[in-house]
Amino acid sequence: MWSGPRNLSTAMMYSFGARSDCHVVDEPFYAAYLAKTGLDHPMRAEIMASQPQDGAEVEHNLLAPVPGNRQHFYQKHMTQHMLPEIPRDWMKEVKNVFLIRHPARVVASYAKKREGPDLADIGFRQQAELFDHARGLGQSPIVIDAADIRDDPEGALKQLCAALDLEWDAAMLGWPAGGHEQDGVWAKHWYGSVHRSTGFAEPEGECPKLDTEYAALAQQALAYYERLRKNKMT
């Protein structure tokens, strides 16, 4: 599952994590990304200590037998983590799904947790590039909009499961409050609202009004979002 930050991605991981046949992993390339970029993200030291910093080691783990002898492996990935030097060969061995969200909503949410994001931070350009890469592998990648999930969780998830050849499991509609055992160490900084949740939030209202700088950033991302949105499940 490919998304940028602040994009329903953690709720989706919890949804799949509620299935008894599914193991989940939370942003496994995060430490490798920080090691390559040197970026000073919140909880950087803890993140670096918690995960392999070598992208090749991460790639090996993603293709290894599924932990816990589970039948399915749900991998939550952030598109901005996939720098050119991060391995991508493994993508041909998995089903690639792209979770999109309107950039105005992403920017408004991200800025509350980390000020001054730029286009590289929010992952829209990288998401479009990865979508093209998956197509270049001969795949027909799935695109699902976070708004559609919020509007009708059961309908959207049933459609996604059908596209993935997964049997529908109603357990995906809820999870215990307090987080998931596979949360990354960064969860206490970023996951407050989803930790308080026990299911998907209600549909969102109108897009937020953004200050000039953030409005310009959302506008930069809009074309990438719209291109993928044209390919979303309907």
Side-chain angles (χ1 to χ4, degrees):
M1 183 66 73
W2 294 103
S3 77
R6 317 310 292 172
N7 193 10
L8 205 70
S9 57
T10 305
M12 286 292 284
M13 182 180 76
Y14 289 1
S15 175
F16 276 83
R19 297 178 62 107
S20 62
D21 61 357
C22 191
H23 180 78
V24 301
V25 66
D26 192 10
E27 303 182 28
F29 284 107
Y30 198 172
Y33 165 73
L34 293 180
K36 295 287 186 184
T37 62
L39 288 170
D40 186 20
H41 275 209
M43 301 187 64
R44 174 186 166 87
E46 293 93 330
I47 295 166
M48 298 289 282
S50 71
Q51 292 181 323
Q53 299 176 26
D54 178 9
E57 182 179 350
V58 178
E59 178 183 40
H60 172 78
N61 293 340
L62 295 177
L63 296 178
V66 182
N69 294 316
R70 303 288 176 85
Q71 186 177 358
H72 306 294
F73 192 5
Y74 182 93
Q75 302 172 3
K76 174 193 168 192
H77 293 292
M78 293 288 105
T79 59
Q80 71 273 20
H81 293 171
M82 299 305 288
L83 304 167
E85 57 268 39
I86 297 289
R88 299 186 184 187
D89 287 350
W90 60 275
M91 288 179 64
K92 64 178 178 288
E93 306 297 335
V94 300
K95 294 182 178 180
N96 292 285
V97 185
F98 291 81
L99 176 64
I100 61 174
R101 189 187 188 199
H102 193 284
R105 301 189 188 281
V106 171
V107 171
S109 180
Y110 189 101
K112 293 177 183 177
K113 295 290 186 178
R114 181 171 180 259
E115 294 183 355
D118 59 21
L119 188 62
D121 290 322
I122 57 176
F124 284 86
R125 174 180 52 77
Q126 300 96 317
Q127 190 174 45
E129 291 174 353
L130 289 162
F131 179 81
D132 291 341
H133 180 71
R135 277 188 161 179
L137 296 172
Q139 297 186 7
S140 297
I142 299 164
V143 179
I144 187 166
D145 196 311
D148 294 336
I149 300 169
R150 294 274 295 264
D151 287 345
D152 179 11
E154 183 171 352
L157 291 173
K158 280 183 174 179
Q159 188 177 14
L160 177 58
C161 286
L164 292 169
D165 296 322
L166 285 178
E167 184 177 347
W168 165 243
D169 186 343
M172 296 176 69
L173 295 174
W175 49 82
H180 192 280
E181 63 181 354
Q182 297 302 324
D183 280 348
V185 296
W186 54 87
K188 61 185 176 183
H189 179 82
W190 293 98
Y191 295 177
S193 60
V194 72
H195 278 181
R196 293 187 293 273
S197 74
T198 56
F200 291 98
E202 296 295 318
E204 296 180 295
E206 294 183 4
C207 278
K209 298 285 193 273
L210 300 172
D211 293 339
T212 302
E213 178 184 354
Y214 288 148
L217 175 58
Q219 186 62 38
Q220 281 183 279
L222 188 61
Y224 299 110
Y225 166 77
E226 292 290 358
R227 183 156 74 83
L228 265 67
R229 188 170 181 271
K230 291 177 182 177
N231 294 275
K232 72 168 186 153
M233 297 191 307
T234 55

